[in-house]
Amino acid sequence: MGMEPLYIGKLHSDMDEGDGSIKYILSGEGAGSTFTIDDSTGDIHALQRLDREVKAQYQLRAQARNRLTDEPLEPESMFIVKIQDINDNEPKFLDGPYRASVPEMSRIGTSVIQLTATDADDPTYGNSARVVYSILEGQPYFSVDAKTGLVRVSLADMDRETRENYTVVIQAKDMGGQLGGLAGTTTVNISLSDVNDNPPMFDQRLYQMTVQESAPVGSVVGRIWAKDRDIGVNAEMTYSIIDGDGRETFDIRTDPTNLFGIITIKKPLDFESKPSYTLKVEGANSQPDSAQRAPFKDVTIVHVSVEDVDEPPLFDSPSYYVELGEDAEVGTVVRVVSARDPDAANNTVRYDIDWSSDPRKPFYIDVTSGSLRTVRALDREESVWHNFTVLAMEMNNPAQTSSVSVAVKVLDVNDNPPALSDYFDTHVCENAKAGQLIRTVTAVDPDDPTGGQRFYYSLAPEAANNPNFTLRDNQDNTAWVLTRRGGWAKREQSVFYLPVFISDGEQPVQTSTTTMTVRVCSCDHNGNAMSCSAEAYSLPASLSRGALIAILACIFVLLVMILLMLSLRTHRKKPYPCDEEENVHENIVRYDDEGGGEEDTEAFDIAAMWNPCEAHRHANGGQGKTRQDMLPEIESLSRYVPQACVMGVGLGVGLGVIPGGGGDGDTGVHGYVLAKLLEADVDPCAPPYDSLQTYAYEGEGSVAESLSSLQSAASNNDHEYDYLNEWGPRFKKLAEMYGVLEDGHPQSPVW
């Protein structure tokens, strides 16, 4: 306990003659810090206070050495220093304070809690760790065993309803409780747990309750309570209706706290049928009493009065469920709902649909009959369920309205074709071999058949003999696209189109055809596409330089020949200067104003064909009518055809001019045509065809067929044109021109 080192022992060697030639060395646990040795005498001292509860013993090693040479004179010796205990630690309750519980009405000696105090002193040395227990507070209700520390009940029939909680102080003292021993205390809070030792009792012997007849089933009428002084599960109650004329109309249940009885409506009420009911209710504890007898119980009477109200219509069913196929036609009767007025007045009921419950409005209800009908086609894939509310209201009092839910399930019909779910675009590697898988295809179908989906795959009929790809149906709703050949090359064909035909297994069978795009791609050794775009074809590396020069020379010769041919053709087609305004033939070709007929006198003056000289005079200042948008080209006739040489027989060309009889007019036309033929032959600007070829098919396809008389030269018979009168107003002018003359001869047509 002091500040000076404490001598605890001495080491001595038989070789020590006291001349100081031996040096003592100490090593091991605590050497130098807790213990020290005098190297000359071998005396060992403790340098600090020792605590047995911290470390009970130390293992040390000692050795004698020559002081001059430091050579060991003896081998090391092991020795132990043991710490002797003293009573310096009081007993302790390590887990205190404590809480305990014991049932009320427990017998004397009933165990409550086991307490144990711990003393850190050495239990094998003296009485330092010998503990004795005693009670300092809590008598006469509880006691403690002096040796074991067990707390027991020492007073019988303790009632929780009188006092529930107790505080007990327990002391533990060492040295066997003798004077001078150290002591420790702890507190134990003991509570009496409840037992079912009190019966329930209703606070009233008669309960009066009222309820309206319009209250729905399940509505709460009122509640009753059988009070119990016990708590917890011992106060929980179960209620039942044991008698009375309302046993079938009302029900009673316990509320979530298991204390109160809730009376509810079990069946619909009707004031007109029964205005009041009497119930005999029993309340009993859920747990048996403490003496293990039958549960405590009590009985009360409940009187329920029904109040009369104006009730809304009542449906014949609390809800409606209907199944309807999606192929049902518009106007199909889905279901007939029915409601009636339960009051004595029995007012007429009208029906309607609460559209807020189903904004899609697929149904309609007849206001008088309650017949539900479809107003538009149903589609199960769009909506499987249609849930809406039907309203029924009294005709004389619309405020009295009731509602019912209607659930319509749309049954599936196979009305959707299957289609590929994905992979409309795939690729095949250039190094792919025959029979290689390039894509697994699957299909989807919005329909939901009862037996599950079943799809059948094949190539479309037009691709059944496809030389490049084939389709294998795996019979598990998937199919494989396989190659039929190898040797793919992007430069030959980079894209293939493969029509896939899919059908389902339901009736009526639905089919579809989807075209897959297969691109030829360059791939790596793992089959991953690297490039699918067409690339320029490069010559093989083995092509010789001479062959390459020969190919280039051929290309150069071909280019020179093409340029030479184009040059000669351009030189041959070089036009000579000419006056296009003098080309009367072109003027005839441009006469293309359809619809004017004989009444169109602005496009061309026919008199110029009969008298070219007169046309020449008009062109040089005559007063004849001329068209403003083109100049007459008759002037060119004077250069080739003198008037004196206009002779001969008429020949029909150009616009279909044919001989129509003798006279000067005929010879003028003949000469004019000959002149124009000569002009066309010598004029390099004239087109390489004549008007006969251009207008040979005029009139083909019309109801009048061909009006041309180009092939009429084979027949010299007179034609009858009376049928022109039957062709309508548009041919009236022709009918007048080719009608019968006064002398009985038909007029000759001029086309």
Side-chain angles (χ1 to χ4, degrees), residues 601-623:
T601 60
E602 296 293 327
F604 185 77
D605 189 0
I606 196 65
M609 296 185 66
W610 296 100
N611 194 347
C613 296
E614 183 69 14
H616 178 71
R617 183 177 63 82
H618 286 193
N620 288 281
Q623 302 299 323

mmCIF file with all atom_site columns, all heavy atoms in Angstrom, residues 601-623:
data_model
loop_
_atom_site.group_PDB
_atom_site.id
_atom_site.type_symbol
_atom_site.label_atom_id
_atom_site.label_alt_id
_atom_site.label_comp_id
_atom_site.label_asym_id
_atom_site.label_entity_id
_atom_site.label_seq_id
_atom_site.pdbx_PDB_ins_code
_atom_site.Cartn_x
_atom_site.Cartn_y
_atom_site.Cartn_z
_atom_site.occupancy
_atom_site.B_iso_or_equiv
_atom_site.pdbx_formal_charge
_atom_site.auth_seq_id
_atom_site.auth_comp_id
_atom_site.auth_asym_id
_atom_site.auth_atom_id
_atom_site.pdbx_PDB_model_num
ATOM 1   N N   . THR A 1 601 ? -64.071 28.055 -135.932 1.00 0.00 ? 601 THR A N   1
ATOM 2   C CA  . THR A 1 601 ? -63.605 28.681 -137.176 1.00 0.00 ? 601 THR A CA  1
ATOM 3   C C   . THR A 1 601 ? -62.375 29.510 -136.962 1.00 0.00 ? 601 THR A C   1
ATOM 4   O O   . THR A 1 601 ? -61.927 30.207 -137.867 1.00 0.00 ? 601 THR A O   1
ATOM 5   C CB  . THR A 1 601 ? -64.723 29.584 -137.746 1.00 0.00 ? 601 THR A CB  1
ATOM 6   O OG1 . THR A 1 601 ? -65.024 30.576 -136.762 1.00 0.00 ? 601 THR A OG1 1
ATOM 7   C CG2 . THR A 1 601 ? -65.963 28.773 -138.052 1.00 0.00 ? 601 THR A CG2 1
ATOM 8   N N   . GLU A 1 602 ? -61.821 29.473 -135.723 1.00 0.00 ? 602 GLU A N   1
ATOM 9   C CA  . GLU A 1 602 ? -60.666 30.302 -135.425 1.00 0.00 ? 602 GLU A CA  1
ATOM 10  C C   . GLU A 1 602 ? -59.356 29.572 -135.684 1.00 0.00 ? 602 GLU A C   1
ATOM 11  O O   . GLU A 1 602 ? -58.332 30.193 -135.928 1.00 0.00 ? 602 GLU A O   1
ATOM 12  C CB  . GLU A 1 602 ? -60.708 30.751 -133.960 1.00 0.00 ? 602 GLU A CB  1
ATOM 13  C CG  . GLU A 1 602 ? -61.901 31.640 -133.625 1.00 0.00 ? 602 GLU A CG  1
ATOM 14  C CD  . GLU A 1 602 ? -61.815 32.977 -134.322 1.00 0.00 ? 602 GLU A CD  1
ATOM 15  O OE1 . GLU A 1 602 ? -60.690 33.446 -134.499 1.00 0.00 ? 602 GLU A OE1 1
ATOM 16  O OE2 . GLU A 1 602 ? -62.837 33.519 -134.691 1.00 0.00 ? 602 GLU A OE2 1
ATOM 17  N N   . ALA A 1 603 ? -59.334 28.233 -135.543 1.00 0.00 ? 603 ALA A N   1
ATOM 18  C CA  . ALA A 1 603 ? -58.092 27.506 -135.619 1.00 0.00 ? 603 ALA A CA  1
ATOM 19  C C   . ALA A 1 603 ? -57.510 27.442 -137.030 1.00 0.00 ? 603 ALA A C   1
ATOM 20  O O   . ALA A 1 603 ? -56.328 27.637 -137.239 1.00 0.00 ? 603 ALA A O   1
ATOM 21  C CB  . ALA A 1 603 ? -58.291 26.087 -135.082 1.00 0.00 ? 603 ALA A CB  1
ATOM 22  N N   . PHE A 1 604 ? -58.370 27.195 -138.038 1.00 0.00 ? 604 PHE A N   1
ATOM 23  C CA  . PHE A 1 604 ? -57.857 27.037 -139.402 1.00 0.00 ? 604 PHE A CA  1
ATOM 24  C C   . PHE A 1 604 ? -58.962 27.342 -140.399 1.00 0.00 ? 604 PHE A C   1
ATOM 25  O O   . PHE A 1 604 ? -60.099 26.937 -140.198 1.00 0.00 ? 604 PHE A O   1
ATOM 26  C CB  . PHE A 1 604 ? -57.332 25.610 -139.595 1.00 0.00 ? 604 PHE A CB  1
ATOM 27  C CG  . PHE A 1 604 ? -56.675 25.395 -140.919 1.00 0.00 ? 604 PHE A CG  1
ATOM 28  C CD1 . PHE A 1 604 ? -55.402 25.863 -141.166 1.00 0.00 ? 604 PHE A CD1 1
ATOM 29  C CD2 . PHE A 1 604 ? -57.343 24.732 -141.950 1.00 0.00 ? 604 PHE A CD2 1
ATOM 30  C CE1 . PHE A 1 604 ? -54.802 25.672 -142.386 1.00 0.00 ? 604 PHE A CE1 1
ATOM 31  C CE2 . PHE A 1 604 ? -56.730 24.539 -143.162 1.00 0.00 ? 604 PHE A CE2 1
ATOM 32  C CZ  . PHE A 1 604 ? -55.452 25.009 -143.389 1.00 0.00 ? 604 PHE A CZ  1
ATOM 33  N N   . ASP A 1 605 ? -58.604 28.084 -141.431 1.00 0.00 ? 605 ASP A N   1
ATOM 34  C CA  . ASP A 1 605 ? -59.580 28.433 -142.480 1.00 0.00 ? 605 ASP A CA  1
ATOM 35  C C   . ASP A 1 605 ? -59.534 27.348 -143.545 1.00 0.00 ? 605 ASP A C   1
ATOM 36  O O   . ASP A 1 605 ? -58.546 27.237 -144.289 1.00 0.00 ? 605 ASP A O   1
ATOM 37  C CB  . ASP A 1 605 ? -59.248 29.803 -143.078 1.00 0.00 ? 605 ASP A CB  1
ATOM 38  C CG  . ASP A 1 605 ? -60.351 30.298 -143.997 1.00 0.00 ? 605 ASP A CG  1
ATOM 39  O OD1 . ASP A 1 605 ? -61.362 29.581 -144.160 1.00 0.00 ? 605 ASP A OD1 1
ATOM 40  O OD2 . ASP A 1 605 ? -60.170 31.391 -144.534 1.00 0.00 ? 605 ASP A OD2 1
ATOM 41  N N   . ILE A 1 606 ? -60.572 26.544 -143.616 1.00 0.00 ? 606 ILE A N   1
ATOM 42  C CA  . ILE A 1 606 ? -60.602 25.435 -144.566 1.00 0.00 ? 606 ILE A CA  1
ATOM 43  C C   . ILE A 1 606 ? -60.582 25.894 -146.004 1.00 0.00 ? 606 ILE A C   1
ATOM 44  O O   . ILE A 1 606 ? -60.227 25.147 -146.924 1.00 0.00 ? 606 ILE A O   1
ATOM 45  C CB  . ILE A 1 606 ? -61.839 24.551 -144.271 1.00 0.00 ? 606 ILE A CB  1
ATOM 46  C CG1 . ILE A 1 606 ? -61.685 23.177 -144.976 1.00 0.00 ? 606 ILE A CG1 1
ATOM 47  C CG2 . ILE A 1 606 ? -63.093 25.264 -144.718 1.00 0.00 ? 606 ILE A CG2 1
ATOM 48  C CD1 . ILE A 1 606 ? -60.570 22.381 -144.459 1.00 0.00 ? 606 ILE A CD1 1
ATOM 49  N N   . ALA A 1 607 ? -60.945 27.199 -146.214 1.00 0.00 ? 607 ALA A N   1
ATOM 50  C CA  . ALA A 1 607 ? -60.950 27.711 -147.593 1.00 0.00 ? 607 ALA A CA  1
ATOM 51  C C   . ALA A 1 607 ? -59.576 27.712 -148.210 1.00 0.00 ? 607 ALA A C   1
ATOM 52  O O   . ALA A 1 607 ? -59.414 27.634 -149.431 1.00 0.00 ? 607 ALA A O   1
ATOM 53  C CB  . ALA A 1 607 ? -61.540 29.119 -147.627 1.00 0.00 ? 607 ALA A CB  1
ATOM 54  N N   . ALA A 1 608 ? -58.544 27.811 -147.334 1.00 0.00 ? 608 ALA A N   1
ATOM 55  C CA  . ALA A 1 608 ? -57.190 27.817 -147.879 1.00 0.00 ? 608 ALA A CA  1
ATOM 56  C C   . ALA A 1 608 ? -56.823 26.508 -148.530 1.00 0.00 ? 608 ALA A C   1
ATOM 57  O O   . ALA A 1 608 ? -55.974 26.462 -149.414 1.00 0.00 ? 608 ALA A O   1
ATOM 58  C CB  . ALA A 1 608 ? -56.198 28.143 -146.770 1.00 0.00 ? 608 ALA A CB  1
ATOM 59  N N   . MET A 1 609 ? -57.444 25.419 -148.113 1.00 0.00 ? 609 MET A N   1
ATOM 60  C CA  . MET A 1 609 ? -57.157 24.137 -148.735 1.00 0.00 ? 609 MET A CA  1
ATOM 61  C C   . MET A 1 609 ? -57.821 24.014 -150.098 1.00 0.00 ? 609 MET A C   1
ATOM 62  O O   . MET A 1 609 ? -57.340 23.294 -150.967 1.00 0.00 ? 609 MET A O   1
ATOM 63  C CB  . MET A 1 609 ? -57.621 22.993 -147.821 1.00 0.00 ? 609 MET A CB  1
ATOM 64  C CG  . MET A 1 609 ? -56.878 22.935 -146.482 1.00 0.00 ? 609 MET A CG  1
ATOM 65  S SD  . MET A 1 609 ? -57.352 21.517 -145.501 1.00 0.00 ? 609 MET A SD  1
ATOM 66  C CE  . MET A 1 609 ? -56.700 20.226 -146.545 1.00 0.00 ? 609 MET A CE  1
ATOM 67  N N   . TRP A 1 610 ? -58.925 24.676 -150.286 1.00 0.00 ? 610 TRP A N   1
ATOM 68  C CA  . TRP A 1 610 ? -59.633 24.598 -151.568 1.00 0.00 ? 610 TRP A CA  1
ATOM 69  C C   . TRP A 1 610 ? -59.078 25.609 -152.583 1.00 0.00 ? 610 TRP A C   1
ATOM 70  O O   . TRP A 1 610 ? -59.082 25.346 -153.770 1.00 0.00 ? 610 TRP A O   1
ATOM 71  C CB  . TRP A 1 610 ? -61.116 24.876 -151.378 1.00 0.00 ? 610 TRP A CB  1
ATOM 72  C CG  . TRP A 1 610 ? -61.776 23.831 -150.508 1.00 0.00 ? 610 TRP A CG  1
ATOM 73  C CD1 . TRP A 1 610 ? -62.066 23.927 -149.217 1.00 0.00 ? 610 TRP A CD1 1
ATOM 74  C CD2 . TRP A 1 610 ? -62.175 22.535 -150.925 1.00 0.00 ? 610 TRP A CD2 1
ATOM 75  N NE1 . TRP A 1 610 ? -62.649 22.779 -148.739 1.00 0.00 ? 610 TRP A NE1 1
ATOM 76  C CE2 . TRP A 1 610 ? -62.729 21.884 -149.808 1.00 0.00 ? 610 TRP A CE2 1
ATOM 77  C CE3 . TRP A 1 610 ? -62.124 21.833 -152.159 1.00 0.00 ? 610 TRP A CE3 1
ATOM 78  C CZ2 . TRP A 1 610 ? -63.232 20.594 -149.856 1.00 0.00 ? 610 TRP A CZ2 1
ATOM 79  C CZ3 . TRP A 1 610 ? -62.643 20.561 -152.189 1.00 0.00 ? 610 TRP A CZ3 1
ATOM 80  C CH2 . TRP A 1 610 ? -63.180 19.922 -151.048 1.00 0.00 ? 610 TRP A CH2 1
ATOM 81  N N   . ASN A 1 611 ? -58.594 26.760 -152.111 1.00 0.00 ? 611 ASN A N   1
ATOM 82  C CA  . ASN A 1 611 ? -58.094 27.784 -153.021 1.00 0.00 ? 611 ASN A CA  1
ATOM 83  C C   . ASN A 1 611 ? -56.811 28.360 -152.451 1.00 0.00 ? 611 ASN A C   1
ATOM 84  O O   . ASN A 1 611 ? -56.838 29.348 -151.719 1.00 0.00 ? 611 ASN A O   1
ATOM 85  C CB  . ASN A 1 611 ? -59.134 28.897 -153.208 1.00 0.00 ? 611 ASN A CB  1
ATOM 86  C CG  . ASN A 1 611 ? -58.800 29.804 -154.391 1.00 0.00 ? 611 ASN A CG  1
ATOM 87  O OD1 . ASN A 1 611 ? -57.689 29.761 -154.916 1.00 0.00 ? 611 ASN A OD1 1
ATOM 88  N ND2 . ASN A 1 611 ? -59.763 30.602 -154.794 1.00 0.00 ? 611 ASN A ND2 1
ATOM 89  N N   . PRO A 1 612 ? -55.677 27.791 -152.753 1.00 0.00 ? 612 PRO A N   1
ATOM 90  C CA  . PRO A 1 612 ? -54.423 28.288 -152.196 1.00 0.00 ? 612 PRO A CA  1
ATOM 91  C C   . PRO A 1 612 ? -54.125 29.716 -152.590 1.00 0.00 ? 612 PRO A C   1
ATOM 92  O O   . PRO A 1 612 ? -53.540 30.449 -151.825 1.00 0.00 ? 612 PRO A O   1
ATOM 93  C CB  . PRO A 1 612 ? -53.384 27.335 -152.761 1.00 0.00 ? 612 PRO A CB  1
ATOM 94  C CG  . PRO A 1 612 ? -54.137 26.092 -153.106 1.00 0.00 ? 612 PRO A CG  1
ATOM 95  C CD  . PRO A 1 612 ? -55.482 26.547 -153.541 1.00 0.00 ? 612 PRO A CD  1
ATOM 96  N N   . CYS A 1 613 ? -54.528 30.102 -153.807 1.00 0.00 ? 613 CYS A N   1
ATOM 97  C CA  . CYS A 1 613 ? -54.260 31.481 -154.223 1.00 0.00 ? 613 CYS A CA  1
ATOM 98  C C   . CYS A 1 613 ? -55.035 32.474 -153.389 1.00 0.00 ? 613 CYS A C   1
ATOM 99  O O   . CYS A 1 613 ? -54.549 33.548 -153.048 1.00 0.00 ? 613 CYS A O   1
ATOM 100 C CB  . CYS A 1 613 ? -54.603 31.656 -155.711 1.00 0.00 ? 613 CYS A CB  1
ATOM 101 S SG  . CYS A 1 613 ? -53.568 30.647 -156.789 1.00 0.00 ? 613 CYS A SG  1
ATOM 102 N N   . GLU A 1 614 ? -56.267 32.084 -153.067 1.00 0.00 ? 614 GLU A N   1
ATOM 103 C CA  . GLU A 1 614 ? -57.071 32.964 -152.211 1.00 0.00 ? 614 GLU A CA  1
ATOM 104 C C   . GLU A 1 614 ? -56.440 33.075 -150.834 1.00 0.00 ? 614 GLU A C   1
ATOM 105 O O   . GLU A 1 614 ? -56.392 34.144 -150.231 1.00 0.00 ? 614 GLU A O   1
ATOM 106 C CB  . GLU A 1 614 ? -58.499 32.423 -152.091 1.00 0.00 ? 614 GLU A CB  1
ATOM 107 C CG  . GLU A 1 614 ? -59.446 33.309 -151.283 1.00 0.00 ? 614 GLU A CG  1
ATOM 108 C CD  . GLU A 1 614 ? -59.771 34.613 -151.990 1.00 0.00 ? 614 GLU A CD  1
ATOM 109 O OE1 . GLU A 1 614 ? -59.484 34.734 -153.201 1.00 0.00 ? 614 GLU A OE1 1
ATOM 110 O OE2 . GLU A 1 614 ? -60.288 35.535 -151.311 1.00 0.00 ? 614 GLU A OE2 1
ATOM 111 N N   . ALA A 1 615 ? -55.897 31.971 -150.355 1.00 0.00 ? 615 ALA A N   1
ATOM 112 C CA  . ALA A 1 615 ? -55.222 32.008 -149.063 1.00 0.00 ? 615 ALA A CA  1
ATOM 113 C C   . ALA A 1 615 ? -54.012 32.904 -149.120 1.00 0.00 ? 615 ALA A C   1
ATOM 114 O O   . ALA A 1 615 ? -53.699 33.611 -148.174 1.00 0.00 ? 615 ALA A O   1
ATOM 115 C CB  . ALA A 1 615 ? -54.815 30.584 -148.651 1.00 0.00 ? 615 ALA A CB  1
ATOM 116 N N   . HIS A 1 616 ? -53.311 32.895 -150.313 1.00 0.00 ? 616 HIS A N   1
ATOM 117 C CA  . HIS A 1 616 ? -52.134 33.760 -150.448 1.00 0.00 ? 616 HIS A CA  1
ATOM 118 C C   . HIS A 1 616 ? -52.527 35.219 -150.435 1.00 0.00 ? 616 HIS A C   1
ATOM 119 O O   . HIS A 1 616 ? -51.861 36.046 -149.819 1.00 0.00 ? 616 HIS A O   1
ATOM 120 C CB  . HIS A 1 616 ? -51.397 33.380 -151.731 1.00 0.00 ? 616 HIS A CB  1
ATOM 121 C CG  . HIS A 1 616 ? -50.204 34.241 -151.987 1.00 0.00 ? 616 HIS A CG  1
ATOM 122 N ND1 . HIS A 1 616 ? -49.062 34.157 -151.223 1.00 0.00 ? 616 HIS A ND1 1
ATOM 123 C CD2 . HIS A 1 616 ? -49.967 35.185 -152.941 1.00 0.00 ? 616 HIS A CD2 1
ATOM 124 C CE1 . HIS A 1 616 ? -48.184 35.028 -151.674 1.00 0.00 ? 616 HIS A CE1 1
ATOM 125 N NE2 . HIS A 1 616 ? -48.724 35.661 -152.743 1.00 0.00 ? 616 HIS A NE2 1
ATOM 126 N N   . ARG A 1 617 ? -53.680 35.502 -151.107 1.00 0.00 ? 617 ARG A N   1
ATOM 127 C CA  . ARG A 1 617 ? -54.125 36.880 -151.124 1.00 0.00 ? 617 ARG A CA  1
ATOM 128 C C   . ARG A 1 617 ? -54.512 37.347 -149.736 1.00 0.00 ? 617 ARG A C   1
ATOM 129 O O   . ARG A 1 617 ? -54.201 38.460 -149.328 1.00 0.00 ? 617 ARG A O   1
ATOM 130 C CB  . ARG A 1 617 ? -55.304 37.025 -152.099 1.00 0.00 ? 617 ARG A CB  1
ATOM 131 C CG  . ARG A 1 617 ? -55.806 38.478 -152.256 1.00 0.00 ? 617 ARG A CG  1
ATOM 132 C CD  . ARG A 1 617 ? -56.919 38.524 -153.288 1.00 0.00 ? 617 ARG A CD  1
ATOM 133 N NE  . ARG A 1 617 ? -58.058 37.744 -152.867 1.00 0.00 ? 617 ARG A NE  1
ATOM 134 C CZ  . ARG A 1 617 ? -58.992 38.217 -152.015 1.00 0.00 ? 617 ARG A CZ  1
ATOM 135 N NH1 . ARG A 1 617 ? -58.896 39.422 -151.503 1.00 0.00 ? 617 ARG A NH1 1
ATOM 136 N NH2 . ARG A 1 617 ? -60.019 37.458 -151.702 1.00 0.00 ? 617 ARG A NH2 1
ATOM 137 N N   . HIS A 1 618 ? -55.150 36.489 -148.975 1.00 0.00 ? 618 HIS A N   1
ATOM 138 C CA  . HIS A 1 618 ? -55.527 36.865 -147.606 1.00 0.00 ? 618 HIS A CA  1
ATOM 139 C C   . HIS A 1 618 ? -54.311 37.078 -146.742 1.00 0.00 ? 618 HIS A C   1
ATOM 140 O O   . HIS A 1 618 ? -54.280 37.951 -145.882 1.00 0.00 ? 618 HIS A O   1
ATOM 141 C CB  . HIS A 1 618 ? -56.417 35.793 -146.989 1.00 0.00 ? 618 HIS A CB  1
ATOM 142 C CG  . HIS A 1 618 ? -57.825 35.838 -147.567 1.00 0.00 ? 618 HIS A CG  1
ATOM 143 N ND1 . HIS A 1 618 ? -58.848 35.151 -146.993 1.00 0.00 ? 618 HIS A ND1 1
ATOM 144 C CD2 . HIS A 1 618 ? -58.336 36.456 -148.649 1.00 0.00 ? 618 HIS A CD2 1
ATOM 145 C CE1 . HIS A 1 618 ? -59.963 35.347 -147.688 1.00 0.00 ? 618 HIS A CE1 1
ATOM 146 N NE2 . HIS A 1 618 ? -59.658 36.147 -148.724 1.00 0.00 ? 618 HIS A NE2 1
ATOM 147 N N   . ALA A 1 619 ? -53.324 36.276 -146.952 1.00 0.00 ? 619 ALA A N   1
ATOM 148 C CA  . ALA A 1 619 ? -52.125 36.431 -146.132 1.00 0.00 ? 619 ALA A CA  1
ATOM 149 C C   . ALA A 1 619 ? -51.379 37.706 -146.436 1.00 0.00 ? 619 ALA A C   1
ATOM 150 O O   . ALA A 1 619 ? -50.619 38.193 -145.625 1.00 0.00 ? 619 ALA A O   1
ATOM 151 C CB  . ALA A 1 619 ? -51.203 35.218 -146.337 1.00 0.00 ? 619 ALA A CB  1
ATOM 152 N N   . ASN A 1 620 ? -51.589 38.271 -147.671 1.00 0.00 ? 620 ASN A N   1
ATOM 153 C CA  . ASN A 1 620 ? -50.914 39.493 -148.062 1.00 0.00 ? 620 ASN A CA  1
ATOM 154 C C   . ASN A 1 620 ? -51.797 40.698 -147.907 1.00 0.00 ? 620 ASN A C   1
ATOM 155 O O   . ASN A 1 620 ? -51.656 41.679 -148.611 1.00 0.00 ? 620 ASN A O   1
ATOM 156 C CB  . ASN A 1 620 ? -50.423 39.393 -149.512 1.00 0.00 ? 620 ASN A CB  1
ATOM 157 C CG  . ASN A 1 620 ? -49.254 38.449 -149.650 1.00 0.00 ? 620 ASN A CG  1
ATOM 158 O OD1 . ASN A 1 620 ? -48.122 38.806 -149.339 1.00 0.00 ? 620 ASN A OD1 1
ATOM 159 N ND2 . ASN A 1 620 ? -49.521 37.238 -150.113 1.00 0.00 ? 620 ASN A ND2 1
ATOM 160 N N   . GLY A 1 621 ? -52.727 40.684 -147.027 1.00 0.00 ? 621 GLY A N   1
ATOM 161 C CA  . GLY A 1 621 ? -53.513 41.896 -146.752 1.00 0.00 ? 621 GLY A CA  1
ATOM 162 C C   . GLY A 1 621 ? -54.983 41.723 -146.914 1.00 0.00 ? 621 GLY A C   1
ATOM 163 O O   . GLY A 1 621 ? -55.716 42.712 -146.894 1.00 0.00 ? 621 GLY A O   1
ATOM 164 N N   . GLY A 1 622 ? -55.456 40.529 -147.095 1.00 0.00 ? 622 GLY A N   1
ATOM 165 C CA  . GLY A 1 622 ? -56.893 40.295 -147.203 1.00 0.00 ? 622 GLY A CA  1
ATOM 166 C C   . GLY A 1 622 ? -57.596 40.561 -145.908 1.00 0.00 ? 622 GLY A C   1
ATOM 167 O O   . GLY A 1 622 ? -57.009 40.702 -144.851 1.00 0.00 ? 622 GLY A O   1
ATOM 168 N N   . GLN A 1 623 ? -58.944 40.598 -145.984 1.00 0.00 ? 623 GLN A N   1
ATOM 169 C CA  . GLN A 1 623 ? -59.752 40.893 -144.816 1.00 0.00 ? 623 GLN A CA  1
ATOM 170 C C   . GLN A 1 623 ? -60.272 39.631 -144.149 1.00 0.00 ? 623 GLN A C   1
ATOM 171 O O   . GLN A 1 623 ? -61.164 39.684 -143.316 1.00 0.00 ? 623 GLN A O   1
ATOM 172 C CB  . GLN A 1 623 ? -60.942 41.792 -145.227 1.00 0.00 ? 623 GLN A CB  1
ATOM 173 C CG  . GLN A 1 623 ? -60.527 43.088 -145.870 1.00 0.00 ? 623 GLN A CG  1
ATOM 174 C CD  . GLN A 1 623 ? -59.696 43.936 -144.952 1.00 0.00 ? 623 GLN A CD  1
ATOM 175 O OE1 . GLN A 1 623 ? -59.949 43.966 -143.768 1.00 0.00 ? 623 GLN A OE1 1
ATOM 176 N NE2 . GLN A 1 623 ? -58.682 44.620 -145.491 1.00 0.00 ? 623 GLN A NE2 1
#
